[in-house]
Amino acid sequence: MDNYNFQLLLKETYDELSARGFETSRADWLLEDITRMSRTEIALNFQEKVPENILSEYLSYRERMYKGEPVQYIAGFAEFYGRKFKVNKDVLIPRPETEELVYQTLQKIHKKHLVLCDIGTGSGAIAISLKKERPDLSVIATDISPNAIAIAKENAKLLETEVEFLLGESLKPLIDRNIQVDILVSNPPYISYDEQNQMAETVLDYEPHLALFAHDDGLAIYKDILSNLDKVITQGGLVIFEIGYLQGDILKTYIQENYNIENLEIIKDINQNNRMIQFNWINQ
Ligand code: SAM
Ligand code: GLN
């Protein structure tokens, strides 16, 4: 096998990633993961020869990276809210914007021992993070995908968290069991099918479409949840959705025209895009 030192290996990988239009930081991320070394440790060892086992693993993984596969799927985990979550092709890689949804939700929880449900939990990132941060909450999480529920359960176990996972579409698992919740959080699929051609190939080719796309200009799942909310949410209960950056005003108007709610707020993410909508539900 070729004789590489750490610096040469990274330099060669940066050049190839740049040529293919990917961020070069992926090269570091993968090397840090394989070596279990920090960026600084790697830099201090730049001139050292890369051990054979590490080199062969890195070279095979970087071929996948060159094709566009997200590093989180290659490594098998993603970082979210300071913790590691197992991910694979059956679940969306949790996004930094969604960490803001977790943060916003935590700011809104003023009482103890509330019941919270995360609809469309995927890897379990939102539900598990909230339970970790607020162990007094009773947390339920649902998903329409059995494979996602399996990964979310694994994550709850790995992170030693107690979350009740229910398989099913939208609010049906709650309605079927007569469950009432005080807080409903969701990052449902919200991308319109028309937007497919503007999306990065690394997302489109690798992430589950069931987690990304929704009909009705991306609004279908919000509308479906809203139409049944009265059956599952307590009086004054908090609803907080992650939204597409163009959906804020449309969704606000739709909710205000059709439902009895108060305190509706659109919240921006760190990039100043409309990213969340929250309101309190008044019994209809
Ligand atoms: N909550 C995770 C996160 O924020 O990283 C995953 C969000 S992903 C955008 C949406 C999730 O909703 C996927 O896991 C998908 O399987 C699930 N899903 C799609 N349609 C659904 C539906 N009608 N009811 C419940 N879950 C659904
Ligand atoms: N924010 C995700 C993306 O840009 C989409 C998540 C979603 O549809 N809920 O790919």
Side-chain angles (χ1 to χ4, degrees), residues 34-280:
I34 292 175
T35 57
R36 311 255 172 244
M37 284 158 78
S38 69
R39 205 191 170 85
T40 318
E41 284 171 311
I42 293 171
L44 291 173
N45 285 286
F46 261 174
Q47 304 311 324
E48 298 295 318
K49 183 172 182 283
V50 181
E52 286 298 323
N53 57 335
I54 288 182
L55 183 62
S56 63
E57 199 175 359
Y58 193 82
L59 294 180
S60 80
Y61 283 172
R62 87 173 178 183
E63 283 310 311
R64 288 167 62 183
M65 198 163 65
Y66 288 163
K67 293 197 182 105
E69 184 169 351
V71 283
Q72 292 90 340
Y73 287 149
I74 297 173
F77 75 88
E79 298 264 357
F80 186 83
Y81 222 83
R83 300 182 182 87
K84 275 187 170 190
F85 287 78
K86 182 176 170 170
V87 291
N88 68 13
K89 61 175 179 35
D90 295 319
V91 297
L92 189 90
I93 297 164
R95 305 289 203 262
E97 296 90 305
T98 309
E99 294 179 318
E100 297 192 53
L101 176 72
V102 169
Y103 177 80
Q104 279 301 329
T105 307
L106 289 169
Q107 303 314 301
K108 289 278 158 185
I109 306 177
H110 304 303
K111 288 190 201 151
K112 288 223 157 197
H113 306 297
L114 296 174
V115 180
L116 177 147
C117 182
D118 169 26
I119 303 288
T121 198
S123 62
I126 299 173
I128 293 169
S129 302
L130 287 168
K131 178 70 182 175
K132 277 290 199 197
E133 298 299 318
R134 283 293 300 258
D136 63 291
L137 288 169
S138 293
V139 179
I140 303 162
T142 74
D143 206 287
I144 200 170
S145 153
N147 292 349
I149 289 283
I151 293 286
K153 280 186 177 167
E154 264 189 69
N155 279 321
K157 206 166 174 190
L158 289 168
L159 291 164
E160 299 173 333
T161 330
E162 214 175 293
V163 172
E164 185 179 2
F165 292 100
L166 303 173
L167 176 67
E169 185 173 356
S170 189
L171 301 184
K172 196 163 182 303
L174 303 179
I175 299 169
D176 288 350
R177 292 168 183 79
N178 252 317
I179 296 174
Q180 292 278 303
V181 304
D182 304 300
I183 304 165
L184 190 121
V185 188
S186 185
N187 172 22
Y190 56 63
I191 302 174
S192 121
Y193 284 93
D194 296 344
E195 287 174 77
Q196 274 194 58
N197 53 2
Q198 301 159 34
M199 289 171 64
E201 280 171 22
T202 51
V203 176
L204 206 52
D205 293 350
Y206 290 93
E207 300 208 67
H209 287 199
L210 182 62
L212 294 169
F213 297 107
H215 291 287
D216 195 358
D217 294 330
L219 301 174
I221 316 243
Y222 302 114
K223 290 185 180 174
D224 185 32
I225 292 175
L226 287 161
S227 70
N228 283 303
L229 258 179
D230 215 32
K231 302 186 184 121
V232 306
I233 197 151
T234 52
Q235 168 72 2
L238 172 72
V239 180
I240 174 159
F241 291 135
E242 182 174 317
I243 57 173
Y245 71 107
L246 296 174
Q247 291 171 329
D249 292 330
I250 304 164
L251 208 48
K252 177 179 172 179
T253 308
Y254 178 83
I255 294 168
Q256 287 178 330
E257 282 179 356
N258 290 283
Y259 297 100
N260 193 10
I261 52 106
E262 58 182 17
N263 308 324
L264 186 144
E265 231 185 296
I266 295 172
I267 301 162
K268 291 189 189 300
D269 63 22
I270 196 171
N271 298 313
Q272 294 308 307
N273 287 319
N274 286 344
R275 185 59 62 195
M276 289 156 264
I277 193 163
Q278 69 181 35
F279 53 87
N280 292 98

